[in-house]
Amino acid sequence: MDWQQYIVSIKQAKNSSELDALELQLFGRKQGLLTEELKKLGTMSPEERKIKGIELNALKKNLEDAIAARKQSLVHATFSSLKETDPLDPTLSLPPQPHGHLHLIPEFIRHVEDVFGRMGFDTARGNEIESEEYNFFKLNFEKDHAALDMQATFWIKDQPGNVLRTHTSPVQIHYMESHTPPMRMICPGKVYRRDSDATHSPMFHQFEGLMVGPDVSVANMKAIMSEAMRALIAPDIEFRFRTSYFPFVEPGLEVDMKFGDSEKWLEVVGCGMIHPNVLKNVKIDPKKFSGFAFGFGVERLLMIKHGIGDLRSFYEGNTRFLAQF
Ligand code: PHE
């Protein structure tokens, strides 16, 4: 028996079925060549068996090692050839998946809460449906329709006396009714007006702010607002305060900001010292306390910050627009 030839055949086996066939030929329980040789040991004299036994066991081990080694290299070959035959490569790093992020409005509102939070302002929430009482009258609006229409109100069918809030100012009232001075509050949220063009939308966002204490002044108001506008828009943002009218403040002011590189100013916030009548309406004594309030337009601020020309782009859900921010 040319065992050496078997070792060569094992090393050259082309695949695992060829190797299995060789293994069966050699080690098969019935008629395996080596199995038969080993069986013969039983018929030999003890001396002969001892010599032949050592020889056969060494041979058996050589054959087994050769088979194991070939098995190993066939498995390796199978896997390494997969890269030519199988398109799946688990080691490949895939192109990065696109990640979503917050829409720029809620993202900006978080920034607002953060900037004012660091100046000690509490964040309050209000309701989007308000009574006329809170949206207008407790804010010192006169009880005639012209005054209410100053804010192009949406009235609610079958709910006389309720409106979609036209501004976040009613939250001032709720907040002052449930807290005692000194207090500092901001409130971001949606507001509604019958208005629609490139700089007006029937729904938009504002954030209201309020500070009431023993001697809060216009200087305090201007300092806090200037600080916030620089932090929220840009450290070198240009803005101007000018006098204006809102029934719930006295004096009333508005802030305009420079829009882009043009000479255009965009109105972004109304503000002023809280009117004594409003303080009386919430049972705060105007002789002991004073305060200021402001209401920023979120979209307006973002238009200036990012040079966005049309306010309607905020709501179209166009991901190519939104992904820029
Ligand atoms: N509520 C006013 C508006 O929406 C803005 C404002 C808020 C003005 C607070 C003064 C004080 O136009």
Side-chain angles (χ1 to χ4, degrees):
M1 183 64 55
D2 189 354
W3 299 111
Q4 205 44 49
Q5 188 51 48
Y6 273 96
I7 303 268
V8 172
S9 303
I10 289 167
K11 285 186 175 155
Q12 291 173 349
K14 283 192 203 62
N15 49 46
S16 55
S17 49
E18 245 184 70
L19 190 63
D20 287 347
L22 283 167
E23 192 174 10
L24 193 71
Q25 258 183 57
L26 290 164
F27 294 102
R29 285 202 157 275
K30 290 178 199 157
Q31 290 162 14
L33 293 174
L34 197 74
T35 318
E36 293 302 310
E37 288 302 308
L38 288 165
K39 275 185 197 160
K40 283 184 200 156
L41 287 177
T43 62
M44 290 175 188
S45 67
E47 297 78 34
E48 224 184 343
R49 186 188 309 150
K50 198 175 167 194
I51 296 164
K52 201 69 182 154
I54 292 172
E55 195 186 301
L56 283 177
N57 275 318
L59 175 65
K60 185 178 173 224
K61 182 159 190 320
N62 281 347
L63 289 166
E64 282 172 345
D65 287 352
I67 290 171
R70 188 63 191 148
K71 260 190 192 152
Q72 183 71 45
S73 64
L74 284 174
V75 167
H76 182 77
T78 308
F79 279 107
S80 55
S81 71
L82 272 183
K83 72 174 185 291
E84 274 106 46
T85 57
D86 188 332
L88 175 73
D89 179 356
T91 66
L92 210 69
S93 47
L94 295 169
Q97 291 297 303
H99 282 276
H101 58 79
L102 276 182
H103 185 279
L104 72 172
I105 292 177
E107 183 183 64
F108 186 73
I109 287 173
R110 289 193 183 186
H111 191 192
V112 168
E113 292 174 354
D114 187 47
V115 165
F116 279 94
R118 276 187 268 124
M119 296 194 282
F121 283 70
D122 182 22
T123 298
R125 303 277 168 207
N127 303 320
E128 290 174 27
I129 295 180
E130 277 290 356
S131 62
E132 290 175 319
E133 199 58 27
Y134 279 82
N135 195 81
F136 298 118
F137 305 133
K138 289 193 185 223
L139 285 162
N140 200 37
F141 278 75
E142 299 222 8
K143 293 212 174 190
D144 71 62
H145 260 264
L148 311 195
D149 258 2
M150 182 180 142
Q151 299 207 338
T153 311
F154 281 112
W155 304 88
I156 299 176
K157 204 175 164 186
D158 303 328
Q159 285 194 35
N162 278 349
V163 299
L164 289 181
R165 69 174 174 195
T166 55
H167 52 176
T168 42
S169 299
V171 184
Q172 287 182 36
I173 304 293
H174 290 294
Y175 197 86
M176 288 191 286
E177 282 179 343
S178 54
H179 294 76
T180 47
M183 54 181 131
R184 274 174 279 187
M185 170 285 278
I186 56 154
C187 171
K190 293 186 171 73
V191 302
Y192 302 85
R193 293 189 200 173
R194 285 186 286 107
D195 251 345
S196 190
D197 61 36
T199 52
H200 295 89
S201 149
M203 183 284 297
F204 61 102
H205 297 76
Q206 288 188 332
F207 64 92
E208 196 76 11
L210 176 81
M211 178 167 173
V212 181
D215 37 32
V216 174
S217 69
V218 177
N220 297 144
M221 176 178 82
K222 289 177 93 169
I224 296 240
M225 290 176 65
S226 305
E227 172 73 19
M229 291 188 288
R230 292 191 184 107
L232 291 170
I233 308 301
D236 58 351
I237 185 70
E238 274 186 77
F239 51 85
R240 64 181 183 197
F241 287 88
R242 65 182 158 74
T243 54
S244 183
Y245 171 75
F246 302 94
F248 37 98
V249 286
E250 181 56 39
L253 298 168
E254 258 172 323
V255 181
D256 301 326
M257 268 185 195
K258 260 292 177 54
F259 183 36
D261 297 328
S262 72
E263 288 303 295
K264 249 172 62 185
W265 293 91
L266 202 61
E267 174 200 320
V268 291
V269 43
C271 59
M273 300 307 291
I274 301 173
H275 197 290
N277 289 348
V278 174
L279 292 174
K280 282 184 211 150
N281 289 343
V282 296
K283 306 203 162 52
I284 291 177
D285 184 351
K287 291 198 192 71
K288 288 197 192 133
F289 297 104
S290 57
F292 63 79
F294 53 78
F296 279 86
V298 169
E299 285 83 347
R300 294 286 183 89
L301 287 176
L302 283 168
M303 287 172 82
I304 291 166
K305 180 166 185 166
H306 299 296
I308 297 165
D310 191 331
L311 171 137
R312 289 166 291 201
S313 2
F314 289 111
Y315 317 115
E316 283 165 354
N318 175 350
T319 49
R320 280 202 307 196
F321 167 76
L322 296 171
Q324 299 174 73
F325 307 102

